[in-house]
Amino acid sequence: MARNQMETEETNRLTQVEEEEEDDDEEYFKEAWTEDENEEEGDENDENLEFLCLFCDSKYGSCDALFDHCRLAHFFDFNGIRKELGLDFYGSFKLINYVRSQVAENRCWSCGVHCQSKQDLQSHLHQSVDTKDVKLLLFHDKYLNPFMQEDSLLYSFGGDEEDEDDCNTSFEKEEIVKDFGNVCIDDDDDGTVEDIELSAETYNEDRKTVMAVSNGHLSYACSSKGMTDNGSDNGPSVRSLESHPKDKQSRVHFADVVEKDIKRVNDSYFGSYSAFGIHRDMISDRIRTDAYRQALLKNPSLLNGAVVMDVGCGTGILSLFAAQAGASRVISIEASEKMATVATQIAKDNGLLRSKTDGEGNKNCPGVIEVVHTMVENLDKSIQIQPHSVDILVSEWMGYCLLYESMLSSVLFARDRWLKPGGAILPDTATIFVAGFGKGGTSLPFWENVYGFNMSSIGKEVVQDAAKFPLVEIINHHDLVTNTAVLQSFDLATMKPDEVDFTATAELEAKLDDFDHKATSCYGVVLWFDTGFTNQFCKETPTVLSTSPYTPKTHWSQTILTFREPISVAASREFAAEGSADVGTDACPASKILLRISIARATQHRCIDISLETAGVCPDGRKRSWPAQIFNLT
């Protein structure tokens, strides 16, 4: 019995220990679960902090909190500067991208001083002395491009102002009139656009890059990956997914990732063109708008009774010209939801909107414009249109350096899908030109004499930095030190979509009239383009849209590629070289500069890679090559 009592006591003791251990385990898992929940809540809180500081890694949940931080910690009063400079959405958008670009280079946004590190920059930041100098820098259109991908700050800083980039279709007529003013398309013959207060076109979706599905494999542009920096290897610009995991599931996953990336870039791209300021700049470009206006209004045999497709119509200005010229139907395609709504309202306000109950338009039925919100590749899903039923395809598709952020591939898609055999495409030609520029095309002359002081050390650093990135700026034709050469020509009526990527050569010689018997320095090359409305389609009045330094400036400016070191050139073939001096130096100037330039669609959607290979040849036949340079136009 005593033994049984002992066994009972031992059993009770073990049961109590097990219960205590179970309680401990429950308490442990309860604590662990709470920690997990706290971590998840923390992660969620981190996700809610979507606005990244312009100067450091801090994140905030609202624009106001971020701007307060920037004002107190970094001496950057965004709202104060915006008010002082009178910046609209367009200018404020540029200001954010400008500041981010300067901080990425450890450069003070206010005074331009270059710091050795990010920490040094944080210590250097100070109150801006004169923000007017900053406003001058904001004239550069390159700051329209988001410097940081998925920068939510760019589309949220509007505060109580009208949120111009909101793709909301519920616009009031008064709002549109407020931003655009009145539309008055005159039909005089002087080719002016004095009465037009609108803006210009947005660009449509563009498949110029990325994805081509062929034989079950996805290919994508990757020009920069196939090039080395020594000029010896220019591999293919398109790689197949065979170089990636070969199983079908991996290929499908990769394609899905690329497609999502394209959608993200497109959303940002079309969103940026929802701001009216961009359209005003483009439509105010008289060279651009007059060229299209003349092509459409002064070629009656082409336009009268024609079915016209306007790819990337934006405000619809080209569609309005086509309707005015006598087109029977104008299909205006616009990928931005906001601008499609705007174009519809403008066509309606001018009595040119096509009613759904209308038949084919004519002189007695002015409602001929039909605005379709879609990407041109998806047009079939939005309206019923027969293949090869369009008489004229018109589009303002050109970007910087002709091909940057361009939608040429989309235009070619529309051509092959809907243009009638022998139908007109406007413009029908495009040509890229190249020339060498001298010291006057750089910032060196400015820094060499600043109120009588020599600050050339700054100028030299600026030129060195310029060799890393393409610049989009206006260059004076007096600063060109070589002849002009054709780099590449396109016939838009016949070219194939894959011809958008190309490699071409050009030969430049120093200008004989300016530098006879003297050597001068060539600091780099400048690219520009012309587009032609030739007599192939514009029988009565052919015209040319030129972005040349020799013609009035346009909003495209020119694209500048700076050499790592200047190349000395001389026009005279009798220039005596000194011994075995290196070609391209003052002692042995080159008589020719040989170029090989490749322009290809980059892996980043809507951007282009430019490869520049340079060689100099002296009169005695000796040749010197420089390492290849890779420029990414983003």
Side-chain angles (χ1 to χ4, degrees), residues 43-163:
D43 291 341
E44 291 176 358
N45 290 334
D46 288 341
E47 290 176 0
N48 292 331
L49 302 179
E50 58 178 343
F51 300 109
L52 177 66
C53 175
L54 297 169
F55 301 93
C56 65
D57 296 329
S58 301
K59 292 184 178 181
Y60 293 86
S62 70
C63 291
D64 291 340
L66 184 148
F67 290 139
D68 285 342
H69 163 76
C70 289
R71 178 173 54 84
L72 297 173
H74 305 299
F75 305 99
F76 178 76
D77 184 0
F78 175 79
N79 291 319
I81 294 171
R82 190 182 183 192
K83 183 177 180 180
E84 180 180 350
L85 298 181
L87 298 181
D88 56 7
F89 171 85
Y90 179 59
S92 304
F93 192 97
K94 287 183 173 182
L95 176 61
I96 292 172
N97 287 318
Y98 164 72
V99 173
R100 289 206 189 279
S101 68
Q102 298 303 294
V103 172
E105 298 177 4
N106 294 328
R107 196 178 297 276
C108 178
W109 71 273
S110 175
C111 67
V113 169
H114 184 267
C115 300
Q116 295 299 316
S117 66
K118 189 173 182 179
Q119 290 73 19
D120 291 342
L121 175 62
Q122 298 295 324
S123 302
H124 167 82
L125 292 173
H126 55 84
Q127 293 283 359
S128 177
V129 178
D130 188 358
T131 55
K132 293 181 180 179
D133 292 338
V134 175
K135 188 171 185 178
L136 294 176
L137 295 172
L138 298 183
F139 282 115
H140 289 293
D141 284 345
K142 63 183 179 181
Y143 297 122
L144 287 174
N145 302 310
F147 180 81
M148 186 181 77
Q149 296 298 324
E150 297 184 349
D151 190 353
S152 55
L153 183 61
L154 291 174
Y155 309 103
S156 306
F157 63 78
D160 56 359
E161 296 187 6
E162 178 188 3
D163 190 3

Side-chain angles (χ1 to χ4, degrees), residues 29 172 290 400 601 618:
F29 285 114
E172 296 292 338
D290 279 351
Y400 299 133
R601 293 162 290 183
C618 68

